[in-house]
Amino acid sequence: MNVLIVEDERSLAREIAAFLKSENFLCDIAFTGMDASEKIAINLYDFVLLDLGLPDYNGLDLIDEAKKNGSEASFIIITARGAVEDKVKGLNLGADDYLAKPFALIELLSRINAVARRKFRVTVQEITLGDFEMQTESRKLYCKGDEVELTKKEYDLLWYLVLNKNKVLTRHQLYEHIWGNILDDQYDSNFIDVHIKNLRKKLNAHAPTPWLETVRGVGYRVSVE
Amino acid sequence: MIKLKIKLAIFNLLSKLAFTALFLIFLPYIIERINLRQVDNDLIQKREQVISLIADVGIEPFIESDSADVFGSYNILKEEFVSLEWTDTEEDYNHIEVTERIIEGEVITYRVLNYSFLVDGQKYLLEVGKSLVSIHYARQNITRVILIFLLLIILITLLTDLQYTHLILRPLDRITGKLKGISSPSLFDRRPVKTSTKDFYRLDNALRELMDNIDSLFQKEKEITVNISHELLTPVSVLRSKLENLLLREDTDPEVSEKIEESLKTLHRLQTLVNSLLLIARIESHQYLREDDFSLNKVLKEIAAELSPIAEDKEIKIKEGYDQDLQFTKANRPLIFSMLYNVINNAVKNTPGGGEIIIRSFFQKERFNITISDNGRGMTHQQLENLFLRFKSRAGINEDGTGIGLAISKSIADFHDISVSVTSEPGKGTTFFFIFPEIS
């Protein structure tokens, strides 16, 4: 998929590009609003990652412009301003999602993927994890035909690890994704450990879970083929 | 403390009373002087009458020459008398004095005019006297009447003074009223107070200017906080992406990964700090909307459910006692959620295993209350004082947080006019009280 990164902070733009390339995206970078405006007009992008705080352009105007010109790109706003009205305005103008800086790269990826799934109506019906089977539509987990009862948070946690399978996720990245709506300073690494512990306990009652790994000193990973 | 108009009234009253007292001290003397002058004039007139009578009829009808006889005449009430006698003295008399005379065994004070004159080479002494008793009575009566009159006047002027000062001080009342109950200069009523008094006009203007200045300073400070926060978030973002990319590389050594994760943790702390500052600045500059309408008990239940896995892991019981509920209107739900979440989360963190947290909600004196108590470590007086201050670290209490969570709760509470208070005892536990504004 084609992604345009509109970000005036060059090293951040390059870092995002490097990450997305490793995830097999084709990346273009625009450091200014003018440049971005031109690139959007000429090229076909699936995604535009748009920083609203551009020195030469009101980022929101870019969305407006692109929509008027019939661009089918999905916009994901990334901004350090994080003001409520920016978010509302951006989403009203047709942006598909909104991320406040600083964000986790894997969070960006999962947002892009979520938008892509909506856009292309791709639905993953079932995911197999060892002896377990995840039904994404009904948000249920089964083991050899038996349902494993999970709380909403536990399911979300597992689902996020599965979405980013084979990647180590730090406790903070997991916390941010699941409790990100809480305006809280009290990020507690213990939070995730407790939930993983509970999750493991429930799963292990049905079958062993060698695919749910603890990476010492870093975080957790779901390893599947 | 006494109100200005009462002070003015008291001053007026005292000064009037002082003048009245002074007047009353001199009043008898003045009346006496006036009366005596009147009496003296009378006496002189009488003397003239007697003299002219003598000039008409001669001295003989009154007094025989060469006899030691004295002519005396009194009116029956002994009010006045006239006496005529002859005398040998060389001196001439023409003066008025006060003397006491015994008449028919009664001592009476008289004002007496002594006058000597010559008739046919013989000197006579004429005395015309008038009793002062009636004057004394008159003086007392007049004094009494004047006293009553003055007291009446004082009473009336006191009332009118009060009324008048109330009237002219009303703009001042309005100005002080505008200052009452505003928590921030932006809430100051900027409409000028109507007044014809220059001083009040100036005061009102000066206050308005002052408020504008403070307001713009506050605004600037908040803008600076917001701007600095933005500036800080960008480099944090760059660093974070770089570190995360490193962590995702498959060829990274596990030990290096651990170091990277530690750096990320530190970076998260910085990020959290900046975000918290931004949040507080936004709340204080009223950038959040207050248009949600929700049940507070539902929020509490949600938080309790959210934190129960952590509490269970620490073997802490969360007890919920919802006696009554409040449908909170014109509020910001995510903010209220955070406000309560921070406090309950704090309680979970500070309560040792086996402890208990009690969440209660009820109405008291028409106001909705939420209390959150734990039987955890508790806090010393010193720690309590610094509890809601930003960055006053509560050493040993909070290892993970930045120590700003309760400051956030406080600013959210202020934003919603909710009063927060805490009681705590070291070793026994802590209770937070949230008292919601009265429903109007």
Side-chain angles (χ1 to χ4, degrees):
Chain A
M1 281 192 281
N2 269 329
V3 180
L4 174 66
I5 301 162
V6 187
E7 166 66 64
D8 63 316
E9 185 68 33
R10 287 163 194 250
S11 67
L12 182 62
R14 288 199 195 100
E15 217 52 48
I16 294 172
F19 170 73
L20 290 178
K21 272 174 195 158
S22 76
E23 294 294 324
N24 303 318
F25 284 88
L26 291 172
C27 291
D28 233 348
I29 300 179
F31 297 128
T32 64
M34 282 307 293
D35 191 14
S37 173
E38 261 178 51
K39 283 190 162 130
I40 293 170
I42 297 164
N43 303 319
L44 285 175
Y45 294 105
D46 297 302
F47 285 97
V48 177
L49 307 183
L50 177 62
D51 181 3
L52 286 186
L54 295 168
D56 65 328
Y57 227 88
N58 179 357
L60 293 175
D61 289 347
L62 270 179
I63 304 180
D64 211 19
E65 216 173 86
K67 296 275 166 194
K68 273 183 191 150
N69 293 333
S71 162
E72 286 186 6
S74 298
F75 282 81
I76 293 180
I77 292 171
I78 46 178
T79 175
R81 277 196 282 178
V84 186
E85 60 262 42
D86 274 359
K87 184 171 176 174
V88 173
K89 242 191 245 165
L91 295 179
N92 280 347
L93 273 173
D96 293 86
D97 211 338
Y98 183 99
L99 260 180
K101 276 188 201 172
F103 49 83
L105 290 174
I106 54 148
E107 182 65 28
L108 173 65
L109 177 64
S110 68
R111 300 285 181 102
I112 291 175
N113 282 334
V115 173
R117 280 198 299 274
R118 278 207 302 271
K119 197 171 176 179
F120 304 115
R121 294 198 179 77
V122 182
T123 45
V124 188
Q125 287 299 332
E126 290 160 13
I127 292 162
T128 310
L129 304 155
D131 291 334
F132 295 88
E133 202 170 82
M134 247 181 153
Q135 301 262 354
T136 57
E137 200 88 327
S138 59
R139 292 172 51 91
K140 285 198 165 102
L141 184 72
Y142 293 93
C143 179
K144 299 168 199 158
D146 293 338
E147 191 188 333
V148 184
E149 300 266 1
L150 297 180
T151 65
K152 186 182 173 296
K153 296 281 177 221
E154 284 160 357
Y155 183 89
D156 287 345
L157 199 57
L158 184 60
W159 177 233
Y160 197 57
L161 281 163
V162 168
L163 273 180
N164 295 289
K165 61 183 183 226
N166 301 325
K167 289 195 190 80
V168 188
L169 301 193
T170 69
R171 291 174 175 85
H172 189 265
Q173 284 168 343
L174 288 166
Y175 181 85
E176 218 176 31
H177 175 75
I178 293 170
W179 282 277
N181 57 327
I182 296 173
L183 307 156
D184 176 31
D185 84 308
Q186 312 206 350
Y187 152 67
D188 191 340
S189 53
N190 192 37
F191 247 69
I192 297 299
D193 292 340
V194 168
H195 278 86
I196 293 277
K197 199 169 92 182
N198 290 344
L199 181 61
R200 270 216 182 104
K201 212 189 283 172
K202 286 183 180 175
L203 297 180
N204 285 339
H206 291 82
T209 51
W211 43 268
L212 180 54
E213 299 170 359
T214 304
V215 182
R216 208 179 69 88
V218 185
Y220 297 97
R221 174 171 56 200
V222 164
S223 296
V224 284
E225 287 312 307
Chain B
M1 298 298 253
I2 308 169
K3 286 193 101 177
L4 179 58
K5 58 184 171 202
I6 305 294
K7 274 192 175 177
L8 281 175
I10 290 173
F11 171 75
N12 275 339
L13 181 65
L14 288 180
S15 67
K16 272 174 201 153
L17 284 176
F19 278 116
T20 310
L22 206 63
F23 182 61
L24 286 177
I25 288 168
F26 287 108
L27 185 65
Y29 175 75
I30 292 165
I31 294 174
E32 188 146 318
R33 285 299 298 267
I34 292 169
N35 276 333
L36 282 180
R37 186 168 296 169
Q38 184 62 45
V39 169
D40 291 355
N41 285 341
D42 271 5
L43 293 177
I44 289 163
Q45 215 177 333
K46 292 258 159 61
R47 182 195 69 192
E48 294 306 317
Q49 278 175 10
V50 174
I51 297 295
S52 66
L53 203 60
I54 291 169
D56 284 350
V57 299
I59 196 99
E60 283 76 22
F62 301 104
I63 197 162
E64 269 175 54
S65 44
D66 303 330
S67 83
D69 206 2
V70 172
F71 169 83
S73 155
Y74 298 92
N75 66 12
I76 38 169
L77 293 172
K78 299 161 200 156
E79 275 283 292
E80 289 173 336
F81 75 91
V82 176
S83 85
L84 192 60
E85 63 186 312
W86 53 292
T87 180
D88 292 329
T89 49
E90 292 292 307
E91 274 177 83
D92 283 340
Y93 291 103
N94 188 9
H95 68 269
I96 298 172
E97 61 181 6
V98 176
T99 57
E100 285 177 352
R101 296 286 162 94
I102 301 168
I103 293 150
E104 295 165 7
E106 209 180 322
V107 181
I108 297 172
T109 311
Y110 282 104
R111 183 82 172 162
V112 179
L113 181 142
N114 297 294
Y115 182 68
S116 59
F117 59 95
L118 283 168
V119 177
D120 306 328
Q122 175 60 51
K123 190 174 245 183
Y124 294 93
L125 178 63
L126 173 69
E127 287 182 328
V128 184
K130 191 169 178 145
S131 160
L132 290 179
V133 177
S134 61
I135 294 178
H136 278 297
Y137 286 132
R139 191 182 67 198
Q140 276 173 10
N141 284 336
I142 291 171
T143 310
R144 198 172 298 142
V145 168
I146 288 182
L147 183 68
I148 291 168
F149 179 72
L150 282 179
L151 287 178
L152 254 172
I153 293 272
I154 287 173
L155 192 70
I156 291 166
T157 53
L158 179 69
L159 291 177
T160 52
D161 276 358
L162 266 174
Q163 206 54 37
Y164 182 66
T165 47
H166 175 71
L167 203 70
I168 60 169
L169 289 181
R170 208 154 53 181
L172 187 64
D173 277 347
R174 291 226 179 92
I175 293 168
T176 51
K178 287 206 296 188
L179 287 173
K180 221 175 268 171
I182 54 164
S183 52
S184 136
S186 59
L187 299 176
F188 185 72
D189 184 358
R190 276 169 173 69
R191 284 169 301 176
V193 166
K194 266 186 207 156
T195 176
S196 54
T197 316
K198 200 166 189 177
D199 308 66
F200 294 154
Y201 177 74
R202 280 196 192 143
L203 177 67
D204 192 35
N205 266 354
L207 272 177
R208 205 164 46 238
E209 272 170 33
L210 187 67
M211 289 295 175
D212 283 344
N213 281 343
I214 298 174
D215 207 19
S216 74
L217 277 178
F218 273 18
Q219 223 49 53
K220 254 181 221 155
E221 191 216 300
K222 277 168 202 151
E223 264 168 42
I224 288 169
T225 314
V226 171
N227 288 340
I228 289 177
S229 304
H230 292 154
E231 292 304 314
L232 286 173
L233 284 178
T234 304
V236 167
S237 228
V238 175
L239 269 180
R240 185 173 175 177
S241 300
K242 281 186 192 291
L243 290 173
E244 283 183 348
N245 264 339
L246 275 179
L247 201 59
L248 287 168
R249 276 167 66 162
E250 274 157 21
D251 57 350
T252 310
D253 188 81
E255 262 178 53
V256 177
S257 289
E258 228 172 294
K259 293 262 183 284
I260 293 170
E261 160 62 3
E262 275 167 30
S263 312
L264 272 172
K265 262 191 190 164
T266 312
L267 201 58
H268 294 151
R269 253 174 60 202
L270 179 59
Q271 177 188 335
T272 308
L273 213 56
V274 175
N275 276 332
S276 301
L277 281 178
L278 248 177
L279 179 66
I280 291 179
R282 289 221 176 98
I283 294 168
E284 286 180 351
S285 56
H286 300 248
Q287 285 187 25
Y288 282 93
L289 299 173
R290 286 173 58 174
E291 31 186 49
D292 301 337
D293 184 346
F294 54 91
S295 146
L296 282 168
N297 283 351
K298 254 190 194 164
V299 174
L300 288 170
K301 281 177 200 161
E302 222 172 280
I303 296 168
E306 190 93 47
L307 289 169
S308 67
I310 309 296
E312 273 166 29
D313 191 59
K314 279 182 82 178
E315 292 178 344
I316 295 169
K317 262 189 202 143
I318 298 183
K319 290 188 176 169
E320 296 165 73
Y322 307 124
D323 293 351
Q324 279 139 327
D325 193 7
L326 175 67
Q327 191 71 19
F328 202 24
T329 53
K330 285 183 190 150
N332 185 302
R333 195 179 194 276
L335 286 183
I336 292 291
F337 184 96
S338 289
M339 175 186 86
L340 295 167
Y341 182 92
N342 282 343
V343 170
I344 299 173
N345 192 15
N346 206 54
V348 173
K349 277 186 188 165
N350 294 318
T351 305
E356 209 174 66
I357 291 161
I358 302 166
I359 304 171
R360 292 186 58 215
S361 64
F362 51 90
F363 270 95
Q364 195 174 48
K365 289 177 193 154
E366 314 256 309
R367 295 176 76 178
F368 189 67
N369 281 241
I370 291 176
T371 64
I372 293 150
S373 25
D374 64 57
N375 57 358
R377 271 173 277 188
M379 284 174 283
T380 61
H381 188 67
Q382 182 76 35
Q383 286 169 323
L384 266 184
E385 270 183 7
N386 295 334
L387 195 60
F388 292 117
L389 299 179
R390 291 164 217 182
F391 308 120
K392 282 275 183 183
S393 88
R394 302 180 294 288
I397 287 195
N398 204 339
E399 291 115 8
D400 263 307
T402 48
I404 205 173
L406 292 179
I408 293 176
S409 287
K410 179 81 171 92
S411 56
I412 295 173
D414 288 344
F415 179 54
H416 288 89
D417 303 313
I418 299 165
S419 88
V420 198
S421 56
V422 197
T423 59
S424 188
E425 224 177 297
K428 291 211 168 165
T430 307
T431 303
F432 279 81
F433 300 86
F434 292 92
I435 303 173
F436 287 73
E438 223 168 303
I439 316 150
S440 48

